[in-house]
Amino acid sequence: MTRAGRLPRPRSLRARLTAGLVVLLAVSCAAVGLAAVVELNGFLTQRLDQQLTQAGTRFPESLEHAGKLPDDHDGDERGDTRRMATGTFGARLLHGSVTHSGLIRSGDPAADLDVGLTARDARRLARTPADGRPHTVELSALGHYRLTASPGRDGDVLIVGLPLEPVEATVHRLELVAGAVFGLALVVTGVAGALWVRWSLRPLAKVTATATRVAELPLASGEVTLPARTSDSDPHSEVGRVAAALDRMLGHVGDALAQRHASEERLRRFAADASHELRTPVASVRGHAELALLHPGPVPPEVTRALERIAAESSRMGLMVDDLLLLARLDAGRPLERRPVDLTHLVLDAVTDARAAGPDHRWTLDLPREPVTVTGDAHRLQQVLANLLANARLHTPKGTEVTVTLDAGPETVGLSVHDDGPGVPEEVRPAVFERFTRAEHRRRPDAPGGGAGLGLAIVAAVVEAHGGGVGVESSPGSTAFSVRLPAGAALSSG
């Protein structure tokens, strides 16, 4: 059978239980009805056979005498055809041919000798075994009959029969009554069973609703409030045990999430406090190093180089501290500015700065005709562009073409930075936007000292704070970092 011809299968547990209950009841009703019909049909047929045995061959013997038995056959009144049952059929066969036939009709005092047998009926009568046992034969003029054939005194065969129509009518009536009663029982059982199954599965519906609410919760970060437990179910039932197990699991998950959130908060506070505390000493070290380099007196070359390294490293450490402090503030949900920002102007300025910092690269722009404006923090969005372009400049060889594309849709604004460099290593790609992720073996040999791996993490954090998202697609010869921002949407509050 084709898929289109298959019956629809119930998908929910409630529908399957109800359908199973109705199917089992239907099978039981069918078995009971079939047994009743077969038993009744056999009983009525047996009674009819007993009547045939009692009737004997008096009626077919009387057909030669217009319905009266001759005195030499049986001298009592039992030979009168008027004492035969209505519908009794008789026939006399001689050498396989029907010589006489008759039928006792209702209201007639004598037998009707004009039965109207066809040649086919005659052949069927001739084929009836003359063993005195009842046989079912269909006569085209009369219908189904139970017939017995017995040898006669004159070398003939005498056939007597009674109609099966009363038996068939009674059995058919039983079939109609049983069908109606069983059909009504199936409908009532289906409705009552559906209500009963629905009531019985209420605890499972609560478990499902609770699991659905938990599945919809953002569990990756932040404080999570789990829904209420489902422990009001019967602990001795299967559904109750499932609900109890789910409650225990939710308890463990809630404890783990609470500990994770507390740990994240402690880490964020530590990062913010450490970054804030380090800004002053780092600036002080850098200031003293620059001041020492300005000393007018003679300074040994080794000391000069050491002071220059101290100034450079303290400057790099200051930038790292600023990045950590920015990430800590974004993690804490500090609100950013919310103003209209001309993103086209920011892209032009960022590419101009990147072209000055990386003159050996080829920088191209693909901008729309109309200016693209978003709602956000201009300084942070400028930092996103600068980090993406710096990433492309530092991790690709000289001569690499970097293309910045900006497009505006009805709901989102897209920004893409594409380069034809060696690509992001496959093992680094899943964590490229995480903090302290570095791929130094793909950095240009002549590039300056590597950063702390916070540039792309800041890109992701700033874009997410604007309600957008970031992505990367990379293969050898083609790498594209994409940013999606809501067109005019409000900033997220974290």
Side-chain angles (χ1 to χ4, degrees):
M1 180 178 288
T2 60
R3 180 174 297 179
R6 294 178 181 174
L7 294 176
R9 295 182 178 179
R11 296 184 178 273
S12 65
L13 179 60
R14 183 172 60 190
R16 290 181 180 181
L17 291 176
T18 304
L21 178 63
V22 173
V23 168
L24 290 176
L25 181 60
V27 172
S28 302
C29 291
V32 171
L34 181 61
V37 168
V38 171
E39 182 63 24
L40 179 63
N41 184 73
F43 173 75
L44 294 179
T45 303
Q46 185 179 6
R47 292 286 302 273
L48 193 64
D49 293 343
Q50 292 175 358
Q51 294 179 16
L52 277 175
T53 302
Q54 294 174 0
T57 60
R58 293 188 302 274
F59 178 48
E61 290 176 351
S62 69
L63 294 177
E64 294 182 85
H65 307 282
K68 286 287 188 176
L69 285 173
D71 293 339
D72 58 350
H73 283 214
D74 194 349
D76 58 21
E77 296 179 352
R78 290 181 298 175
D80 194 340
T81 58
R82 287 175 295 180
R83 302 177 64 87
M84 294 291 177
T86 301
T88 303
F89 169 79
R92 179 177 179 270
L93 281 72
L94 184 62
H95 304 301
S97 300
V98 179
T99 60
H100 299 84
S101 64
L103 179 70
I104 302 296
R105 297 188 183 275
S106 176
D108 289 344
D112 186 355
L113 301 180
D114 186 13
V115 179
L117 296 177
T118 63
R120 186 177 182 182
D121 294 337
R123 289 194 298 269
R124 289 180 176 176
L125 292 175
R127 289 197 299 267
T128 303
D131 53 3
R133 299 173 59 182
H135 300 277
T136 300
V137 178
E138 181 182 3
L139 302 177
S140 58
L142 302 176
H144 290 89
Y145 262 71
R146 291 288 285 183
L147 304 177
T148 59
S150 303
R153 299 177 182 180
D154 303 326
D156 54 359
V157 176
L158 303 176
I159 297 178
V160 65
L162 290 174
L164 278 171
E165 190 274 336
V167 175
E168 293 175 345
T170 303
V171 172
H172 183 60
R173 183 176 182 84
L174 175 62
E175 292 174 348
L176 293 178
V177 173
V181 172
F182 291 158
L184 180 61
L186 287 177
V187 173
V188 173
T189 301
V191 175
L195 296 176
W196 174 261
V197 171
R198 182 175 183 179
W199 180 82
S200 300
L201 293 182
R202 285 187 305 171
L204 185 60
K206 294 181 180 179
V207 172
T208 303
T210 301
T212 301
R213 290 195 297 270
V214 172
E216 294 173 351
L217 292 175
L219 304 179
S221 61
E223 187 176 4
V224 180
T225 301
L226 295 179
R229 304 296 190 264
T230 60
S231 57
D232 57 342
S233 303
D234 183 8
H236 300 290
S237 65
E238 291 81 357
V239 177
R241 290 194 291 270
V242 171
L246 179 62
D247 289 342
R248 289 193 297 271
M249 183 185 69
L250 290 179
H252 297 325
V253 172
D255 295 339
L257 291 176
Q259 294 179 5
R260 186 211 63 189
H261 180 65
S263 177
E264 289 179 351
E265 289 298 317
R266 288 194 299 269
L267 182 60
R268 288 170 182 171
R269 287 195 298 269
F270 170 76
D273 295 343
S275 300
H276 182 75
E277 294 298 329
L278 285 174
R279 295 181 73 182
T280 300
V282 168
S284 177
V285 170
R286 180 180 178 183
H288 284 294
E290 292 176 351
L291 180 62
L293 289 173
L294 296 176
H295 191 274
V299 179
E302 294 81 2
V303 176
T304 301
R305 284 195 299 273
L307 292 175
E308 290 175 350
R309 290 298 302 156
I310 291 173
E313 290 301 318
S314 59
S315 177
R316 192 170 71 90
M317 187 178 296
L319 295 176
M320 187 187 307
V321 169
D322 291 339
D323 290 343
L324 287 174
L325 186 58
L326 172 61
L327 290 173
R329 289 174 176 173
L330 292 175
D331 290 341
R334 298 285 182 87
L336 301 178
E337 291 185 0
R338 185 177 178 273
R339 295 179 181 178
V341 179
D342 187 349
L343 199 58
T344 305
H345 183 71
L346 291 184
V347 170
L348 290 173
D349 290 344
V351 172
T352 300
D353 296 340
R355 185 178 287 114
D360 296 328
H361 287 65
R362 292 177 294 162
W363 304 92
T364 58
L365 285 170
D366 184 6
L367 303 178
R369 295 180 179 273
E370 299 296 330
V372 178
T373 303
V374 297
T375 302
D377 191 316
H379 178 68
R380 297 308 175 195
L381 292 176
Q382 178 70 35
Q383 191 172 7
V384 167
L385 291 168
N387 288 0
L388 289 175
L389 295 178
N391 182 76
R393 174 173 55 85
L394 296 175
H395 291 81
T396 57
K398 296 180 180 180
T400 300
E401 182 177 2
V402 181
T403 303
V404 181
T405 304
L406 183 63
D407 62 88
E411 297 181 358
T412 60
V413 173
L415 173 69
S416 173
V417 178
H418 177 271
D419 66 74
D420 55 2
V424 181
E426 185 176 357
E427 65 274 10
V428 178
R429 207 174 301 158
V432 71
F433 290 105
E434 295 182 3
R435 299 170 190 184
F436 304 107
T437 299
R438 304 172 65 179
E440 291 299 331
H441 61 286
R442 292 297 181 96
R443 180 177 290 275
R444 281 172 35 206
D446 58 340
L454 298 175
L456 294 179
I458 291 177
V459 169
V462 172
V463 172
E464 289 176 3
H466 283 79
V470 295
V472 60
E473 295 181 0
S474 181
S475 61
S478 177
T479 300
F481 285 87
S482 59
V483 173
R484 288 287 172 183
L485 295 172
L491 294 176
S492 63
S493 60

